[in-house]
Amino acid sequence: MDYIKRIKDIREDSDYTQEYVAKYLGTSQTMYARYERGANELPIHHLIKLCKLYNVSADYLLGLTKAKK
């Protein structure tokens, strides 16, 4: 699984909207939607914030492991 699918799935599993996550990241909903579609690459500083938001490892979000921690 690649990170594009993983960040969308974990957001939906957490019952967060794109708008909520975008606000948490300090970006627009439009830009966050582009990350989820793969139109723009996710910056590392947003990856770190997403790990903190979802309490998971970067390896998990990147699809490198199935273990969340």
Side-chain angles (χ1 to χ4, degrees):
M1 173 181 291
D2 65 356
Y3 83 91
I4 295 165
K5 181 164 175 30
R6 179 81 36 107
I7 64 171
K8 181 177 181 180
D9 288 350
I10 198 168
R11 177 184 59 77
E12 290 174 344
D13 290 347
S14 299
D15 292 325
Y16 293 150
T17 64
Q18 284 184 344
E19 186 174 347
Y20 175 82
V21 176
K23 186 177 242 183
Y24 177 83
L25 296 176
T27 192
S28 68
Q29 182 274 329
T30 303
M31 182 56 73
Y32 183 76
R34 292 177 62 83
Y35 299 150
E36 283 193 359
R37 285 195 320 270
N40 284 74
E41 295 212 7
L42 184 68
I44 189 74
H45 64 279
H46 285 171
L47 173 63
I48 293 166
K49 283 183 145 185
L50 288 176
C51 291
K52 291 178 182 177
L53 175 66
Y54 298 122
N55 197 28
V56 296
S57 71
D59 282 351
Y60 177 78
L61 279 186
L62 294 172
L64 302 175
T65 183
K66 292 181 181 183
K68 290 187 175 186
K69 288 286 180 168

